[in-house]
Amino acid sequence: MNSHPEVVLAARQLQKTFRIGFLRKRVDAVTDASFEVYRGEIFGLVGHNGAGKTTTMKILMGLIAPDAGHGEILGVPVNQPAARNKVGFLPETPHFYDYLRPAELLDFFAELYGLDRVTKKKRIPELLELVGLRGAEEKQLRKFSKGMLQRLGLAQALLPDSEIILLDEPQSGLDPLGRKDVRDIITSQRDQGKTVIFSSHVLPDVEHICDRIAIMTRGKVVKQGRIEDLLDHTERDVEVIAEPAVRGTTPLVPEGFPEPAALPDGQWRFVVDGRETADRLMGALLQTGWSVVSVSRRREHLEDLFVRETIGQPAPSGGAA
């Protein structure tokens, strides 16, 4: 990335408060969302459930108006429809006409996007293949699983071949293989020169593919930048990466050791306090059918950074949405 990257999306001190329920309870969903996204990168908006990510995405897509602050896409204020001319969008929970079939739904969206007949005929089968829905063309959407609907939603977001792609929790409802497929699709879009912004609370996936991130908690962006620049590279505890006997399953953890963290490729990461404990852990793993992949002095990971930056942050009135 060059020293003066082009900013294609910017959020400037966005704020949004809702009044909900009979008593009009105040909920401060977003209190200060400020970040920039550069052309040609994968940018992750990271936060726990309820951190304000979805509200921020909706503001940027013009679906709701902020109470304060502003946003721009390709230099156009987000309150103007022209800001979304070159954006593909996947909402957190897409809702589709469930009597349609996949190609019919994509054809409907292609009409909304203004795609011509030749482009539609080429793009729709390609995208169904890309998102893994080949073979489900004749099935009505009411018979789709949540993961299949999520795959179709991703195809819809990619349909206009936009230069900017916004994905709100694109891996929601997907199994580990589905999550890997989505990661591969996102990185392939970047390789084609697209800019991808996605929100997630699945930290290993974010760490695996993002160029830069913004950490959001309780409605506020508290940290942003390149992951490598944000992490503390001081050596910490011992990290043991292992594979269970059957990949893709939730394995039995040896008694007396901490719970491991799942990694995107089917492996698991244990963190223990010292080499002696690591040796005992490896012995227990081998006895229970695990394979030890690597052992190393641990440096900070995104999960550690996330905890460090979010614990102790003051909660806004009513909590975030």
Side-chain angles (χ1 to χ4, degrees), residues 210-254:
C210 283
D211 299 299
R212 293 190 313 118
I213 63 168
I215 297 176
M216 193 168 192
T217 181
R218 299 176 174 89
K220 180 179 181 180
V221 172
V222 295
K223 206 82 171 180
Q224 64 177 297
R226 293 178 65 247
I227 295 177
E228 281 300 305
D229 295 337
L230 298 177
L231 296 178
D232 179 357
H233 295 284
T234 305
E235 289 190 352
R236 300 161 70 90
D237 301 323
V238 178
E239 175 183 87
V240 178
I241 306 297
E243 289 181 358
V246 180
R247 290 180 66 120
T249 62
T250 301
L252 181 65
V253 178

Side-chain angles (χ1 to χ4, degrees), residues 41-79:
E41 73 175 354
I42 300 174
F43 185 91
L45 184 59
V46 182
H48 52 77
N49 291 328
K53 306 186 301 297
T54 291
T55 301
T56 299
M57 286 278 197
K58 287 181 176 180
I59 291 174
L60 294 173
M61 288 304 299
L63 298 174
I64 57 177
D67 297 328
H70 68 282
E72 294 181 352
I73 298 177
L74 295 171
V76 181
V78 296
N79 62 353

Side-chain angles (χ1 to χ4, degrees), residues 101-111 113 115-134 137 152 155-156 158-160:
R101 293 172 174 82
E104 293 172 336
L105 181 84
L106 293 183
D107 186 77
F108 169 73
F109 276 102
E111 290 291 327
Y113 287 129
L115 301 185
D116 60 67
R117 181 175 298 179
V118 174
T119 303
K120 287 193 300 182
K121 188 175 181 180
K122 180 175 183 292
R123 290 282 293 163
I124 291 175
E126 287 179 346
L127 287 170
L128 290 176
E129 179 76 35
L130 180 67
V131 302
L133 289 179
R134 274 294 194 182
E137 291 94 338
L152 185 60
Q156 172 274 137
L158 300 177
L159 183 61

